[in-house]
């Protein structure tokens, strides 16, 4: 068995943007990079904390209302996940979001109850993150995701 030190990927700005063009993801492709066991564990723990917060906030507040929105933003910011466009180190936050989603996807596939819980929390998180996207970013995300929807312009 061979062990080596983890090398950090040094990507230029355009390459980083190509990896994660939006703060919102559908997690279609699993990550392919190697990560250390420590990072794997930390990413999993942070994602579980985030999903537990999503669950607790969903029980304590009305989803979509101001108190829920502000508490959710605070929780996501606390564990340093990507949720808004144009943050300083957006690549690392998006990378963390991507890899940690797949780690928990593996961990929570062991039973139907775990799967249901995981899917519900991820759906609530996606719904929240989609709701705070600016209009132009929504259109970019839909276009890049090959989703064809027309904006409702009725009063």
């Amino acid at each position: 068995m061979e062990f080596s030190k983890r090398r950090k990927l040094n990507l230029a700005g355009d390459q980083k943007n190509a990896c994660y063009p939006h703060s919102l993801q559908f997690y279609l492709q699993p990550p392919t990079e190697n990560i250390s066991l420590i990072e794997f564990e930390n990413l999993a723990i942070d994602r579980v904390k985030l999903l537990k917060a999503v669950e607790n906030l969903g029980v304590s507040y009305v989803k979509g209302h101001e108190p829920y929105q502000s508490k959710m933003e605070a929780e996501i910011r606390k564990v340093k996940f990507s949720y808004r466009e144009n943050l300083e180190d957006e690549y690392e936050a998006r990378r963390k979001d991507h890899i940690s989603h797949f780690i928990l996807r593996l961990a929570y596939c062991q039973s139907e109850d775990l799967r249901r819980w995981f899917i519900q929390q991820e759906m609530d998180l996606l719904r929240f993150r989609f709701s705070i996207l600016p209009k132009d970013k929504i259109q970019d995300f839909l276009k890049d995701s090959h989703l064809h929807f027309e904006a409702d312009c009725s009063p």
Side-chain angles (χ1 to χ4, degrees):
M1 185 178 279
E2 185 177 319
F3 293 95
S4 62
K5 285 187 176 182
R6 179 179 176 270
R7 286 182 289 141
K8 199 129 177 129
L9 289 176
N10 292 322
L11 300 175
D14 289 342
Q15 291 171 311
K16 286 182 177 184
N17 290 339
C19 290
Y20 305 113
H22 303 283
S23 63
L24 194 56
Q25 303 179 51
F26 275 142
Y27 312 107
L28 299 174
Q29 297 295 320
T32 57
E33 68 179 275
N34 293 325
I35 63 172
S36 69
L37 187 56
I38 302 283
E39 184 179 16
F40 183 95
E41 183 179 321
N42 289 335
L43 290 173
I45 290 168
D46 286 349
R47 188 69 174 215
V48 168
K49 285 179 186 176
L50 176 61
L51 295 183
K52 288 287 188 187
V54 169
E55 178 184 37
N56 292 335
L57 291 172
V59 170
S60 303
Y61 298 93
V62 177
K63 294 175 187 170
H65 286 81
E66 172 53 32
Y68 175 83
Q69 298 290 97
S70 61
K71 294 278 188 183
M72 184 70 82
E73 280 196 42
E75 287 298 324
I76 295 173
R77 201 173 18 256
K78 189 169 27 174
V79 288
K80 297 181 176 81
F81 276 92
S82 175
Y83 71 100
R84 280 201 187 273
E85 297 289 331
N86 302 323
L87 295 177
E88 274 184 33
D89 191 7
E90 191 63 19
Y91 172 78
E92 279 303 316
R94 291 177 183 185
R95 176 185 169 275
K96 177 180 183 175
D97 178 49
H98 183 233
I99 294 171
S100 68
H101 169 84
F102 277 94
I103 292 170
L104 288 198
R105 200 175 193 178
L106 288 171
Y108 280 78
C109 72
Q110 297 176 29
S111 75
E112 188 60 34
D113 287 342
L114 289 174
R115 268 191 300 277
R116 257 185 281 196
W117 181 86
F118 175 73
I119 290 169
Q120 182 61 57
Q121 305 327 308
E122 287 286 341
M123 283 187 342
D124 288 348
L125 182 59
L126 175 72
R127 192 176 295 120
F128 165 76
R129 291 167 67 187
F130 187 81
S131 75
I132 64 171
L133 278 179
K135 298 290 182 213
D136 61 324
K137 298 296 182 183
I138 289 174
Q139 291 306 314
D140 291 345
F141 172 72
L142 293 174
K143 181 182 171 206
D144 291 347
S145 300
H146 306 289
L147 298 172
H148 305 288
F149 291 97
E150 294 295 321
D152 184 12
C153 298
S154 60

